[in-house]
Structure formats: structure tokens, C-alpha cells
Amino acid sequence: MGGHREKDEGDSDAALLRAVAAGDSAAMAALYDRHAGWLHARLTRRCADAEVVREVLQDTFVTVWRSAHGHRGEEAGGWLWTIAARRLVDARRAHQRAARLETTPMNSPTDETRVGWAQAAAAPSAEDRVLAGLEYGDVGTALDRISPELREVLRATVVDGLTTREAARLLGIPEGTVKSRALRARAELRAALAQLNPSPMGGPA
């Protein structure tokens, strides 16, 4: 395992992932060193619980180690963030399931944890803070009412936090299509939410 890699091609993300798929732990370490910092920063913006962020980051790279052979050459950053974002969604779902089963009184540690999760999704705008909860409540109901191609763009750009370029590569569509669908999706989602609840996204676009 390991061995010398030519710097130009061998140190690319794609080459590192091929080496990881072959069981190269040195390549895995190099990939971690290259990407763990920004992944941790993005996860921290989405989740206030530092321990959960550490666990999600660890789970992300465990997944990479196990599934690097499935990488199809798309931009590694988008692929890695998609894994990390989905691990975070899984963690949130697991917490919510556990919280529903809890019967402890108010002001317990469980309630403090619930508050932490409620504050976890930090996004640039009020609308994005609402959209970050796409899986849940009225937003989830409204999301089900918009077309699938618009829904997947919102999931990629808001839930997964991908850039327009990353989302385009992930979804296999042009960047311009991602932008136009994102605008249409937000408009349709606002309209659907207005029918359910006029307040969450009732401000100007």
C-alpha cells in the first residue's frame, strides 16, 4: 500500500479516491487532511453540537473508506459534502426519534439538547433557515407539493449545502438549469407554504 505518487495526477482527489478504494490508508489520510477542515466548518454552521459534528465527520470518512470504489469521477468536494450532509440529516432524525420517546420533565438535559438542535441549522437568510428543515413539518408537506425536479435542486443546494457547480455535477444538469430551478422551486415552495401557514416565508423574496 502507499507508494510514490506523481504529484500532478497522483495527488488529485480522483487519484486519492482510487487509491483509497484499493485500500491505501496513506491516501485516506491525505484525503482527510485535504477536506476535513472545510467539512468540519460547514457542519459546524449547520449544527451547534460539537460532539455531533465530530461524530458526523468521522462517519463521513468511514463511509468514504468503505465506498470510495463507488465514486464515479464527479467533483470530490460535492461528493464528500453530500455524504456528510446526509449523515447529519440521519443524526437529526435519530435524535428526533429519541426525543419523541423521552418522557423526562422540562429543564432536563434532554430539553437542553432539543434547544441545541432547534438552533442547529444556521443559514445565511431566514428563508434558508426554514428551508434547512425541509424534511419536517409544514415545510416538508409543502415540499411534497412541488415537482420532483425542483425538489431535488432544493435538497442539493439547501439540505446538502452544495454550490451551484457542485449541485450541477451531482444532478447531471447544467449550472444554469440549477439556478433557474432553484428560483422556481423557492417560488413554488413559498406558494405552497402560504396555503398551509402564511407566516414562515411571508416576507418579500
Side-chain angles (χ1 to χ4, degrees), residues 35-58:
H35 293 285
W38 70 264
L39 283 169
H40 185 276
R42 271 196 175 185
L43 288 167
T44 299
R45 289 197 295 269
R46 297 278 296 277
C47 177
D49 189 321
E51 182 60 31
V52 170
V53 169
R54 284 192 292 271
E55 290 177 1
V56 169
L57 188 64
Q58 180 179 355

Side-chain angles (χ1 to χ4, degrees), residues 37-111:
W38 70 264
L39 283 169
H40 185 276
R42 271 196 175 185
L43 288 167
T44 299
R45 289 197 295 269
R46 297 278 296 277
C47 177
D49 189 321
E51 182 60 31
V52 170
V53 169
R54 284 192 292 271
E55 290 177 1
V56 169
L57 188 64
Q58 180 179 355
D59 288 348
T60 297
F61 282 97
V62 169
T63 301
V64 170
W65 176 254
R66 292 173 176 171
S67 62
H69 61 278
H71 180 256
R72 296 179 174 85
E74 68 267 34
E75 187 170 80
W79 186 69
L80 288 167
W81 177 242
T82 299
I83 294 171
R86 289 172 182 169
R87 294 291 80 76
L88 183 57
V89 169
D90 289 344
R92 284 176 170 162
R93 286 173 174 166
H95 170 80
Q96 289 191 344
R97 284 194 296 269
R100 283 196 293 269
L101 295 174
E102 282 287 346
T103 57
T104 53
M106 293 297 292
N107 299 323
S108 68
T110 297
D111 294 305

Side-chain angles (χ1 to χ4, degrees), residues 163-202:
T163 65
T164 298
R165 182 182 179 187
E166 291 167 345
R169 294 194 178 191
L170 176 68
L171 300 174
I173 58 178
E175 292 181 37
T177 303
V178 171
K179 293 177 182 178
S180 63
R181 287 184 182 178
L183 289 173
R184 287 167 50 206
R186 287 170 185 259
E188 288 193 15
L189 188 61
R190 278 194 290 268
L193 274 171
Q195 295 177 353
L196 295 167
N197 181 350
S199 60
M201 296 172 67

